[in-house]
Amino acid sequence: MSTMSADTIDLADVARSLRRGWRTILASVAVAGLIALLLILFGPRRFSGSASVVVKSSAGMGSLLSRVAGEVVGGGGASGNGGGAGGEVIAGGVSAVLGGSGSPLETDIQILQSSAVLRAVIDSLHLQVEPRSPTNLPSSAFVRDADLPRPFRRLDLRFTRTAAGQYHVAGRGVDTTVAAGGRLVLPVGALTMNETLPPEFTLRLLDLEDAIKRVNTNFGVKKVGGEVLRVSFRAPDSITAAMVPNVALAEFLARKRTSDRGVNAHRAEFLATELDSVTRELGAAERNLRRFQERSGLLDPEIVGKLELESVSELRKSLGEVEVEAVALDQLLAQIAAGTMSARQLVGFPAFLKSGGINSLLQQLSTLETERTRLLERRLETDPEVVALSRSITDVEGQLIPLAKSYQASLAKQRAQINTQLAAMDAKLGSFPGAAEEGGRLMRDVKRLGTTQTALQTELVQARLNTVTEGGDVRGLDVAIVPKKVVFPEPWLTSGVGLAAGLLMGIVLALVGGSHGRYLEDQYAIERALGVPALRFDARTPLLMSGRSSVRTLLLIPVEPHVETARVAERLAETALARGESATILDLTAPNPVTQLGNSVGGMIARLEQEHGLVIARLPGLSAESTAAVLHESRPVLLVAPSRRINRRELVGALDTLRRLEVPCAGVVLSDGEPHGALAR
C-alpha cells in the first residue's frame, strides 16, 4: 500500500468527488436558477439611455509647445545635468501656459461628471424627488417644481386621494393635504404638484447632496472612439433614462460655448508677453555667449578640449623620445672622453644612422679602411701611402665628435622648448574645466531660450487663430431616445449567469464536501485526507504489507463496532503461508479475553512470536482492555473500516490515539462480511 503526496491534486479524485456530489451540484444549480427566475420576474427594472457628442479641441493640431518641451527634456541628457534641469523648467512653463498636460477629452469628461453639470440636470428634471411607487414614471409626472435648498434626511411622503383633486400627505413630521396642481409646503422645502396625478403614490425627497450621489452612481461618461464621448444613464423609468443624458449634454454644450468665450484671447495676450520676455532673455544669452567665445577662444568646448588633450599627449611623447636620445648620447660621449670607446662607435647611434652626412662619413671611412687594408698586404705601415690613409681615417673619425656634440646641443634645446610648451598647455588645461562649464551653460541657455521662443511663436499664432472659434468644435452627435427594453434584469444573461454561478458553487461545495465532509467514501479519500495507506479488501488478491520483514505481530482493530476483521485476518494468514511463512491468528474479540486468558495476553503473544513467523491478533476495538494490553510500538496496527461511508471522525480519532501512544499504523483496509473458511488458531 502507498500514500499520495499531500501537495498534489489527483484529477481522478476530483472526478470521484464530483460524481458523489452530483446531488449537491444539482441542488445548487436549481437554487441559483430559482433566484435568477425570481430576479427576472420580480427584480427592480432598469432602463438605459445614451447620447453622444463630438468634442474637438480648439487647438486642433495639439499643443506644439508640449511636444517641444518633451523634446527638450528628452534631449537634455546630451548637455549634462544642467540641460535636463532646463528641460524640466520648460515643461513646467508649458503646463502653466496650457493649464495642465492632460488630454482635452479627459477635461471634457471631468466637466460632464462635475457637480455643476449634475446639479443643473437635477434642477431641470426635479431629480431631488424620487418616485417610490409607482417606479415606472419620471419625477416630472408628479411635480412641476421642487424647491429643496437645505440639507435634510431623506423623507418619504405617502399621497392618497381623498376627494376630487385633493390628496392627503403623510410622512415623518408631515400630515397635511394638497390639491392637484397646488403648492405643498414642507419643513424641508416646497413642492409644486402636477394637475394630473394617480390615485395613490409615494415620493422620496432627497437633499441636493444625496441627489447628486444618486445621479452620479448611475451616470457614466466614456470615450468611445476618436473624439466622441458617450453619456449614459440608468433609471427605473425609461423617460428619465433618456432625458438625463440629453439635458447633461445640453448643459455641457452651453458651458463650452459661453464660459470658454475669451479664453483664447487671454491666452494670446499671455503668450505675447511671455514671447517678448523670452526674446529679451535670448538676446542677452547670445551676447554673453559671443563675448565668452571671443575672450576664451572656445567655440566648442568639447572639440577644443579633445584637440588640446591630443596635443599635450603628442608633446609628452616627443619629450620622452628626446630625453631618451639625450641621455644615451651623453653616456656615449662620456665613454669616448674617458677612452673606453672610440669615436667610430658613434656611427652606431640610432639618430646618426638616420643622418645623410653621418652615412657619407661612414662610407668614406669604410673606403679608406678598405684601401689601407689592401696596401698593407703589399707594404709596411711606415709606407707613405699607408701613413696618409691612416691620417685620413683619423681626420674622418675626428669629424664625428663635433657632429655628436652639435646634436647633443640640439637635443637639449628641443627638450627646453617642449617643456616650455607643456607648461603653457598645462596652465591652459588647468583653466579649461571652468571655461568649458561656463561655455556649456551659456550654450544651453541659448538653445533652451531659442526652442522656447519658437514654440511660443507657434502657440501665439495658434491662439490668435483659435479666437475665431471660441470653445472649440463641439456638437451633439446622437440624441438619447426613450428605451423600450430593460437592461436589467436581461432574461437570457441573468439566467445564464445564475446557472453558471450555481454550477460553480455546486462544484465547490462538492469538492469541499469530498475533502472535508463527514464521511470518506473510498480508499483514495482516506489516503488524501489522512496520509496513511488504504485499500479495498479483495479475496482474490494477496494482502501484502510494506516493511513485513521486521514485523512479528500485526494487530487488527475495527474502526467501528460492527466491522468484522475475520476475513482480513484469514487473507493475511493465507498470504503469509503462500510466501512460505508460518502464521497464526489470535482472536481477542471475546467479551473479556484478558480474564479468560488469565491476564497473560502479552505472554501468549510473545510465545506465539517464537513459534510462528507472523502473529495476527484480532482485537475488539481501541477502547477494549485487551487492546490496551497488547498495544506496543513494535506491533503495527491495521485498521479495518467499512467498505462504504467511513465516518471521518471515527477514523481520525483512531489515528490520533495511535499517534499519541506512538504505535505505528500499517494502513486501513475497507472490508465487510464474515470469514469464508476456517484456519487453525
Side-chain angles (χ1 to χ4, degrees):
M1 293 186 289
S2 63
T3 61
M4 184 184 301
S5 176
D7 57 354
T8 60
I9 298 177
D10 191 345
L11 295 180
D13 290 341
V14 174
R16 282 190 293 269
S17 297
L18 296 178
R19 186 176 64 251
R20 289 192 297 267
W22 67 270
R23 294 181 181 85
T24 301
I25 297 175
L26 184 61
S28 178
V29 171
V31 171
L34 179 60
I35 294 175
L37 179 60
L38 294 176
L39 186 60
I40 293 172
L41 295 177
F42 306 106
R45 299 296 189 265
R46 288 292 182 270
F47 295 86
S48 178
S50 63
S52 57
V53 62
V54 178
V55 181
K56 291 185 178 179
S57 173
S58 58
M61 66 178 184
S63 176
L64 177 63
L65 188 58
S66 297
R67 295 196 295 271
V68 172
E71 293 174 0
V72 173
V73 174
S79 301
N81 295 332
E88 293 175 0
V89 172
I90 296 176
V94 172
S95 298
V97 172
L98 301 181
S101 59
S103 168
L105 278 180
E106 294 178 359
T107 303
D108 292 330
I109 291 174
Q110 295 301 319
I111 293 175
L112 274 168
Q113 293 177 333
S114 65
S115 298
V117 173
L118 296 182
R119 187 180 297 112
V121 173
I122 292 170
D123 292 340
S124 177
L125 301 178
H126 317 307
L127 297 183
Q128 284 186 262
V129 179
E130 179 186 356
R132 301 295 293 176
S133 175
T135 59
N136 58 346
L137 294 176
S139 302
S140 57
F142 302 96
V143 298
R144 284 184 299 163
D145 186 27
D147 183 17
L148 305 170
R150 297 189 301 273
F152 59 89
R153 291 172 52 195
R154 61 181 58 184
L155 175 62
D156 290 338
L157 299 178
R158 178 71 178 175
F159 291 77
T160 306
R161 182 183 295 173
T162 58
Q166 295 293 324
Y167 287 84
H168 177 259
V169 184
R172 186 183 70 249
V174 177
D175 188 4
T176 184
T177 59
V178 64
R183 181 177 176 84
L184 175 61
V185 179
L186 300 168
V188 297
L191 300 177
T192 302
M193 311 303 297
N194 277 342
E195 287 80 3
T196 304
L197 296 172
E200 291 184 0
F201 58 94
T202 302
L203 300 179
R204 171 172 291 178
L205 306 186
L206 306 172
D207 65 1
L208 186 58
E209 181 180 356
D210 290 340
I212 291 176
K213 290 180 180 179
R214 172 176 172 261
V215 173
N216 194 29
T217 302
N218 300 284
F219 189 79
V221 181
K222 66 177 180 179
K223 176 183 176 182
V224 294
E227 296 179 325
V228 177
L229 298 180
R230 175 167 294 168
V231 181
S232 60
F233 185 74
R234 286 192 174 192
D237 66 281
S238 57
I239 297 177
T240 304
M243 290 299 296
V244 169
N246 291 335
V247 174
L249 284 184
E251 177 68 19
F252 170 71
L253 294 176
R255 287 178 174 273
K256 289 290 289 184
R257 292 167 181 166
T258 56
S259 61
D260 285 352
R261 185 75 59 184
V263 171
N264 286 304
H266 293 299
R267 185 167 176 266
E269 294 175 1
F270 174 80
L271 288 173
T273 304
E274 289 295 317
L275 181 59
D276 292 340
S277 176
V278 170
T279 301
R280 289 193 298 271
E281 292 180 7
L282 177 60
E286 290 174 342
R287 289 191 295 272
N288 292 335
L289 178 61
R290 186 191 64 189
R291 286 195 293 267
F292 169 78
Q293 290 177 342
E294 292 174 350
R295 183 179 69 254
S296 63
L298 293 178
L299 297 180
D300 191 328
E302 184 176 356
I303 297 177
V304 173
K306 183 178 180 180
L307 293 177
E308 291 288 343
L309 290 175
E310 290 178 353
S311 300
V312 170
S313 177
E314 292 293 333
L315 284 177
R316 292 190 184 279
K317 180 179 179 182
S318 300
L319 179 61
E321 294 176 353
V322 169
E323 288 180 345
V324 170
E325 288 189 9
V327 171
L329 185 58
D330 291 344
Q331 292 178 353
L332 186 59
L333 289 176
Q335 292 175 355
I336 292 174
T340 57
M341 294 182 63
S342 64
R344 183 180 300 181
Q345 290 177 322
L346 287 171
V347 179
F349 192 71
F352 291 164
L353 290 175
K354 302 176 184 178
S355 174
I358 298 296
N359 287 331
S360 177
L361 291 176
L362 178 62
Q363 184 177 4
Q364 184 179 355
L365 185 62
S366 176
T367 302
L368 292 174
E369 288 284 352
T370 303
E371 292 180 1
R372 182 175 181 276
T373 302
R374 190 166 50 249
L375 285 176
L376 287 176
E377 292 178 354
R378 302 187 305 271
R379 300 178 185 182
L380 297 174
E381 292 184 358
T382 58
D383 185 81
E385 293 184 7
V386 174
V387 172
L389 289 173
S390 298
R391 189 177 298 112
S392 298
I393 291 172
T394 302
D395 292 341
V396 172
E397 290 179 348
Q399 295 178 17
L400 293 174
I401 293 179
L403 289 174
K405 291 183 178 180
S406 176
Y407 185 66
Q408 184 183 27
S410 175
L411 289 177
K413 185 177 180 180
Q414 290 183 26
R415 182 166 56 182
Q417 292 177 350
I418 293 175
N419 283 327
T420 302
Q421 294 179 6
L422 281 176
M425 296 188 73
D426 287 341
K428 186 175 181 180
L429 286 175
S431 62
F432 182 79
E437 180 182 3
E438 183 179 359
R441 178 179 57 79
L442 293 174
M443 184 69 71
R444 288 193 300 273
D445 289 343
V446 171
K447 290 181 179 179
R448 174 175 59 82
L449 292 172
T451 304
T452 306
Q453 183 192 41
T454 302
L456 286 173
Q457 287 174 342
T458 305
E459 287 293 323
L460 178 59
V461 173
Q462 186 63 46
R464 287 172 177 171
L465 292 175
N466 290 340
T467 55
V468 180
T469 57
E470 288 282 358
D473 184 8
V474 182
R475 62 183 184 275
L477 184 61
D478 292 327
V479 178
I481 60 176
V482 178
K484 296 181 180 179
K485 295 183 179 180
V486 297
V487 295
F488 179 84
E490 199 280 323
W492 291 108
L493 179 61
T494 304
S495 300
V497 172
L499 294 177
L503 178 61
L504 179 61
M505 182 59 67
I507 291 174
V508 172
L509 292 176
L511 294 177
V512 171
S515 59
H516 299 84
R518 180 179 179 184
Y519 296 100
L520 299 172
E521 302 291 341
D522 52 32
Q523 67 270 28
Y524 306 106
I526 294 175
E527 290 184 350
R528 184 176 63 252
L530 305 180
V532 297
L535 58 81
R536 189 174 296 278
F537 178 79
D538 187 353
R540 298 168 297 179
T541 303
L543 192 57
L544 301 175
M545 185 181 65
S546 60
R548 168 69 186 84
S549 58
S550 60
V551 176
R552 302 299 302 276
T553 299
L554 182 63
L555 306 179
L556 293 183
I557 301 178
V559 176
E560 299 178 6
H562 65 276
V563 177
E564 182 60 48
T565 60
R567 294 184 63 189
V568 178
E570 289 181 359
R571 194 57 184 154
L572 285 171
E574 291 171 357
T575 302
L577 293 175
R579 300 178 65 179
E581 301 177 359
S582 61
T584 183
I585 298 175
L586 178 61
D587 188 359
L588 300 178
T589 60
N592 195 356
V594 177
T595 304
Q596 294 178 5
L597 297 175
N599 297 326
S600 60
V601 177
M604 179 179 292
I605 291 178
R607 178 175 57 80
L608 292 175
E609 286 178 346
Q610 295 178 357
E611 297 176 357
H612 302 279
L614 176 64
V615 177
I616 304 170
R618 294 177 54 210
L619 298 171
L622 278 175
S623 59
E625 295 183 0
S626 57
T627 302
V630 300
L631 287 177
H632 192 269
E633 61 183 8
S634 63
R635 299 167 182 166
V637 172
L638 185 62
L639 298 175
V640 182
S643 59
R644 292 182 180 274
R645 295 180 65 85
I646 304 100
N647 189 296
R648 181 191 294 267
R649 181 180 298 178
E650 296 288 342
L651 190 55
V652 171
L655 288 174
D656 290 342
T657 301
L658 294 178
R659 290 192 182 100
R660 287 196 298 270
L661 297 176
E662 297 183 355
V663 176
C665 179
V668 179
V669 177
L670 307 182
S671 173
D672 280 332
E674 296 296 330
H676 61 83
L679 185 69
R681 291 169 174 78

Short mmCIF file of all heavy atoms in Angstrom, two decimals, residues 170-198:
data_model
loop_
_atom_site.label_atom_id
_atom_site.label_comp_id
_atom_site.label_asym_id
_atom_site.label_seq_id
_atom_site.Cartn_x
_atom_site.Cartn_y
_atom_site.Cartn_z
N ALA A 170 -48.84 62.16 4.04
CA ALA A 170 -48.36 61.67 5.33
C ALA A 170 -46.88 61.29 5.20
O ALA A 170 -46.45 60.73 4.20
CB ALA A 170 -49.17 60.47 5.79
N GLY A 171 -46.13 61.62 6.24
CA GLY A 171 -44.71 61.28 6.28
C GLY A 171 -44.12 61.65 7.61
O GLY A 171 -44.85 62.00 8.56
N ARG A 172 -42.81 61.58 7.75
CA ARG A 172 -42.15 61.90 9.02
C ARG A 172 -42.32 63.39 9.32
O ARG A 172 -41.73 64.24 8.65
CB ARG A 172 -40.67 61.53 8.93
CG ARG A 172 -39.93 61.71 10.26
CD ARG A 172 -38.45 61.42 10.14
NE ARG A 172 -37.78 62.46 9.37
CZ ARG A 172 -37.26 62.31 8.17
NH1 ARG A 172 -37.35 61.13 7.56
NH2 ARG A 172 -36.65 63.30 7.55
N GLY A 173 -43.15 63.69 10.32
CA GLY A 173 -43.39 65.07 10.69
C GLY A 173 -44.30 65.80 9.73
O GLY A 173 -44.41 67.04 9.81
N VAL A 174 -44.98 65.08 8.81
CA VAL A 174 -45.85 65.72 7.81
C VAL A 174 -47.22 65.05 7.88
O VAL A 174 -47.32 63.82 7.79
CB VAL A 174 -45.25 65.60 6.39
CG1 VAL A 174 -46.22 66.20 5.38
CG2 VAL A 174 -43.89 66.28 6.32
N ASP A 175 -48.26 65.83 8.02
CA ASP A 175 -49.64 65.34 7.97
C ASP A 175 -50.51 66.51 7.50
O ASP A 175 -50.97 67.34 8.28
CB ASP A 175 -50.09 64.84 9.35
CG ASP A 175 -51.45 64.15 9.28
OD1 ASP A 175 -51.99 64.01 8.15
OD2 ASP A 175 -51.96 63.76 10.33
N THR A 176 -50.71 66.57 6.18
CA THR A 176 -51.41 67.71 5.61
C THR A 176 -52.12 67.27 4.33
O THR A 176 -52.11 66.09 3.97
CB THR A 176 -50.42 68.84 5.30
OG1 THR A 176 -51.14 69.97 4.83
CG2 THR A 176 -49.39 68.42 4.28
N THR A 177 -52.76 68.23 3.66
CA THR A 177 -53.43 67.96 2.40
C THR A 177 -52.93 68.94 1.35
O THR A 177 -52.43 70.04 1.68
CB THR A 177 -54.95 68.11 2.54
OG1 THR A 177 -55.26 69.44 2.97
CG2 THR A 177 -55.51 67.09 3.53
N VAL A 178 -53.05 68.52 0.08
CA VAL A 178 -52.63 69.36 -1.03
C VAL A 178 -53.54 69.08 -2.21
O VAL A 178 -54.03 67.95 -2.40
CB VAL A 178 -51.15 69.10 -1.40
CG1 VAL A 178 -50.96 67.69 -1.90
CG2 VAL A 178 -50.67 70.13 -2.43
N ALA A 179 -53.80 70.07 -3.00
CA ALA A 179 -54.63 69.90 -4.19
C ALA A 179 -53.75 69.63 -5.39
O ALA A 179 -52.59 70.06 -5.45
CB ALA A 179 -55.47 71.16 -4.42
N ALA A 180 -54.31 68.90 -6.35
CA ALA A 180 -53.57 68.65 -7.58
C ALA A 180 -53.29 69.97 -8.26
O ALA A 180 -54.18 70.80 -8.45
CB ALA A 180 -54.39 67.74 -8.49
N GLY A 181 -51.99 70.19 -8.61
CA GLY A 181 -51.57 71.45 -9.19
C GLY A 181 -51.25 72.50 -8.16
O GLY A 181 -50.82 73.61 -8.52
N GLY A 182 -51.45 72.21 -6.87
CA GLY A 182 -51.17 73.18 -5.82
C GLY A 182 -49.74 73.09 -5.33
O GLY A 182 -48.92 72.28 -5.77
N ARG A 183 -49.42 73.93 -4.34
CA ARG A 183 -48.07 74.01 -3.77
C ARG A 183 -48.08 73.38 -2.40
O ARG A 183 -48.90 73.76 -1.54
CB ARG A 183 -47.62 75.47 -3.69
CG ARG A 183 -46.22 75.67 -3.13
CD ARG A 183 -45.84 77.14 -3.17
NE ARG A 183 -44.54 77.40 -2.56
CZ ARG A 183 -43.37 77.26 -3.17
NH1 ARG A 183 -43.36 76.85 -4.44
NH2 ARG A 183 -42.25 77.53 -2.55
N LEU A 184 -47.22 72.44 -2.16
CA LEU A 184 -47.12 71.73 -0.89
C LEU A 184 -45.93 72.28 -0.12
O LEU A 184 -44.78 72.13 -0.55
CB LEU A 184 -46.96 70.22 -1.12
CG LEU A 184 -46.73 69.36 0.12
CD1 LEU A 184 -47.91 69.46 1.09
CD2 LEU A 184 -46.49 67.90 -0.27
N VAL A 185 -46.19 72.91 1.00
CA VAL A 185 -45.14 73.47 1.84
C VAL A 185 -44.76 72.44 2.90
O VAL A 185 -45.63 71.92 3.62
CB VAL A 185 -45.60 74.78 2.51
CG1 VAL A 185 -44.50 75.33 3.40
CG2 VAL A 185 -46.00 75.80 1.44
N LEU A 186 -43.47 72.14 2.98
CA LEU A 186 -42.95 71.12 3.89
C LEU A 186 -41.88 71.73 4.79
O LEU A 186 -41.34 72.82 4.49
CB LEU A 186 -42.34 69.96 3.08
CG LEU A 186 -43.29 69.24 2.12
CD1 LEU A 186 -42.51 68.32 1.20
CD2 LEU A 186 -44.33 68.44 2.91
N PRO A 187 -41.52 71.05 5.88
CA PRO A 187 -40.45 71.57 6.74
C PRO A 187 -39.10 71.67 6.03
O PRO A 187 -38.24 72.46 6.44
CB PRO A 187 -40.40 70.54 7.89
CG PRO A 187 -41.76 69.93 7.90
CD PRO A 187 -42.21 69.90 6.48
N VAL A 188 -38.91 70.89 4.96
CA VAL A 188 -37.61 70.88 4.27
C VAL A 188 -37.66 71.70 2.99
O VAL A 188 -36.64 71.82 2.29
CB VAL A 188 -37.19 69.44 3.94
CG1 VAL A 188 -36.98 68.64 5.21
CG2 VAL A 188 -38.21 68.75 3.04
N GLY A 189 -38.80 72.25 2.60
CA GLY A 189 -38.90 72.99 1.36
C GLY A 189 -40.33 73.02 0.85
O GLY A 189 -41.29 72.97 1.64
N ALA A 190 -40.47 73.05 -0.46
CA ALA A 190 -41.80 73.13 -1.05
C ALA A 190 -41.81 72.39 -2.38
O ALA A 190 -40.80 72.33 -3.10
CB ALA A 190 -42.22 74.58 -1.25
N LEU A 191 -42.99 71.79 -2.72
CA LEU A 191 -43.20 71.09 -3.99
C LEU A 191 -44.40 71.70 -4.68
O LEU A 191 -45.41 72.04 -4.03
CB LEU A 191 -43.46 69.59 -3.76
CG LEU A 191 -42.36 68.77 -3.07
CD1 LEU A 191 -42.85 67.33 -2.89
CD2 LEU A 191 -41.07 68.81 -3.87
N THR A 192 -44.34 71.85 -5.99
CA THR A 192 -45.48 72.26 -6.80
C THR A 192 -45.95 71.04 -7.57
O THR A 192 -45.21 70.50 -8.42
CB THR A 192 -45.09 73.39 -7.76
OG1 THR A 192 -44.58 74.50 -7.02
CG2 THR A 192 -46.30 73.84 -8.57
N MET A 193 -47.17 70.57 -7.28
CA MET A 193 -47.66 69.33 -7.83
C MET A 193 -48.22 69.54 -9.24
O MET A 193 -48.58 70.65 -9.64
CB MET A 193 -48.75 68.74 -6.93
CG MET A 193 -48.38 68.68 -5.45
SD MET A 193 -46.87 67.72 -5.14
CE MET A 193 -47.38 66.09 -5.70
N ASN A 194 -48.30 68.42 -10.00
CA ASN A 194 -48.94 68.44 -11.32
C ASN A 194 -50.46 68.44 -11.17
O ASN A 194 -51.01 68.07 -10.12
CB ASN A 194 -48.50 67.22 -12.13
CG ASN A 194 -47.17 67.45 -12.82
OD1 ASN A 194 -46.73 68.58 -12.96
ND2 ASN A 194 -46.53 66.37 -13.23
N GLU A 195 -51.12 68.81 -12.26
CA GLU A 195 -52.58 68.78 -12.23
C GLU A 195 -53.12 67.36 -12.32
O GLU A 195 -54.17 67.05 -11.74
CB GLU A 195 -53.15 69.60 -13.40
CG GLU A 195 -53.02 71.10 -13.23
CD GLU A 195 -51.62 71.59 -13.58
OE1 GLU A 195 -50.78 70.74 -14.00
OE2 GLU A 195 -51.34 72.79 -13.42
N THR A 196 -52.44 66.50 -13.03
CA THR A 196 -52.89 65.12 -13.20
C THR A 196 -52.00 64.21 -12.38
O THR A 196 -50.78 64.14 -12.60
CB THR A 196 -52.85 64.70 -14.68
OG1 THR A 196 -53.64 65.63 -15.44
CG2 THR A 196 -53.39 63.30 -14.86
N LEU A 197 -52.61 63.48 -11.44
CA LEU A 197 -51.86 62.61 -10.54
C LEU A 197 -52.58 61.28 -10.39
O LEU A 197 -53.82 61.23 -10.48
CB LEU A 197 -51.70 63.27 -9.15
CG LEU A 197 -50.90 64.57 -9.09
CD1 LEU A 197 -51.00 65.18 -7.70
CD2 LEU A 197 -49.44 64.33 -9.47
N PRO A 198 -51.85 60.18 -10.13
CA PRO A 198 -52.51 58.90 -9.88
C PRO A 198 -53.21 58.92 -8.52
O PRO A 198 -52.95 59.79 -7.67
CB PRO A 198 -51.35 57.91 -9.90
CG PRO A 198 -50.13 58.71 -9.63
CD PRO A 198 -50.39 60.07 -10.17
#
